[in-house]
Amino acid sequence: MSRKLAKETVLVFIITVLMIMPGTVFSQSMIQTTQRIIVIDPGHGGPYSGLATSGGVQEKTIALKLAQKTIQKLEARYNVILTRTKDMDISPQERMFIANKNSADFFLSIHLHNSKEPSSFFYYFNPPEPDNGEPPVVENTWKSQPLFHQPESKQAINSFLSIFSAHKKTNHFFSKGAPIILLEGATMPAILIEPLSISILPHNPDEINIILDEYAVLIAKSIDLYFEKK
């Protein structure tokens, strides 16, 4: 057998094995694409620390920890992507680009608020009615925002409201008119949540982790409920 023919034979053998062998990288990729893709966006980062407690606890740190804990509750059922995995500055456009590029099924931006009550705030894009004095959608910064997923975003909000209301004493639901810059340009259902107040967080890191674990469970349950209804 010539050297050229031998090389061709070996090449054909390798290609055949890769095509029929289970458990290869190819099959793993196919499994991942069958899962729903969720992009979680921990708010702020880098020089933009957001809110802070008197003890120096910063919103950017808590948002990232809560997002990471939420991933732990979701990763067995979904393909979850974080817009940032460390303390870094990332623009709203970059955050949404990550979601759009990965063809996400759902985009969730996590922030905190500073209310004295342990309330939860939920936001999604809801264009104002033409007759209520608000500027029409075409005249504001939401011109680039497709409206195809607006009903699904509202459905997601209702799922979050249902879960959180069953476990927390006080919850507030805000259907916010344009603009919500962090949701602009989404090509999938997208909402922004402020699930807890930074002002109620204790100074002890272990106690903070217990609270964040609790809220991560609620967020994961809310996402599950949304996809179940969908």
Side-chain angles (χ1 to χ4, degrees), residues 16-29:
T16 303
V17 170
L18 288 175
M19 291 177 64
I20 65 176
M21 280 183 63
T24 63
V25 173
F26 299 108
S27 63
Q28 183 179 4
S29 298

Side-chain angles (χ1 to χ4, degrees), residues 144-200:
S144 63
Q145 166 64 37
L147 300 181
F148 301 115
H149 299 289
Q150 181 198 350
E152 293 170 289
S153 296
K154 186 174 182 179
Q155 185 178 0
I157 287 290
N158 287 334
S159 296
F160 273 76
L161 182 63
S162 176
I163 295 296
F164 273 75
S165 295
H167 295 83
K168 296 298 173 184
K169 294 181 179 179
T170 306
N171 287 274
H172 295 283
F173 165 55
F174 281 82
S175 172
K176 195 74 172 178
I180 306 176
I181 301 299
L182 289 174
L183 303 182
E184 185 173 2
T187 58
M188 76 292 297
I191 66 174
L192 185 152
I193 67 172
E194 297 175 354
L196 75 158
S197 172
I198 197 170
S199 65
I200 68 169

Side-chain angles (χ1 to χ4, degrees), residues 23-182:
T24 63
V25 173
F26 299 108
S27 63
Q28 183 179 4
S29 298
M30 292 177 64
I31 292 173
Q32 288 179 344
T33 57
T34 63
Q35 292 182 311
R36 296 186 186 273
I37 300 173
I38 299 173
V39 172
I40 298 182
D41 172 45
H44 304 283
Y48 304 100
S49 57
L51 301 171
T53 67
S54 58
V57 178
Q58 297 179 325
E59 181 181 359
K60 65 177 182 179
T61 302
I62 298 301
L64 180 57
K65 286 184 178 180
L66 180 55
Q68 291 169 332
K69 288 179 178 293
T70 301
I71 281 187
Q72 295 174 2
K73 313 297 181 184
L74 295 171
E75 59 187 357
R77 303 181 298 284
Y78 307 96
N79 189 338
V80 190
I81 301 170
L82 282 180
T83 58
R84 67 178 180 92
T85 58
K86 58 184 179 181
D87 184 13
M88 60 181 291
D89 180 19
I90 178 171
S91 71
Q93 293 77 17
E94 290 174 305
R95 297 169 194 263
M96 192 54 69
F97 174 78
I98 293 172
N100 290 340
K101 179 182 179 182
N102 286 281
S103 300
D105 296 289
F106 184 59
F107 177 86
L108 177 68
S109 186
I110 297 179
H111 293 252
L112 277 70
H113 62 87
N114 200 28
S115 171
K116 298 302 181 183
E117 297 180 353
S119 309
S120 299
F121 297 82
F122 305 96
Y123 301 83
Y124 78 106
F125 173 51
N126 189 32
E129 296 295 330
D131 59 349
N132 67 356
E134 296 285 350
V137 175
V138 295
E139 294 181 12
N140 59 42
T141 59
W142 278 89
K143 285 187 287 187
S144 63
Q145 166 64 37
L147 300 181
F148 301 115
H149 299 289
Q150 181 198 350
E152 293 170 289
S153 296
K154 186 174 182 179
Q155 185 178 0
I157 287 290
N158 287 334
S159 296
F160 273 76
L161 182 63
S162 176
I163 295 296
F164 273 75
S165 295
H167 295 83
K168 296 298 173 184
K169 294 181 179 179
T170 306
N171 287 274
H172 295 283
F173 165 55
F174 281 82
S175 172
K176 195 74 172 178
I180 306 176
I181 301 299
L182 289 174

Side-chain angles (χ1 to χ4, degrees), residues 201-213:
L201 292 178
H203 295 294
N204 188 301
D206 292 335
E207 294 178 358
I208 291 178
N209 280 326
I210 293 174
I211 293 175
L212 296 185
D213 282 331

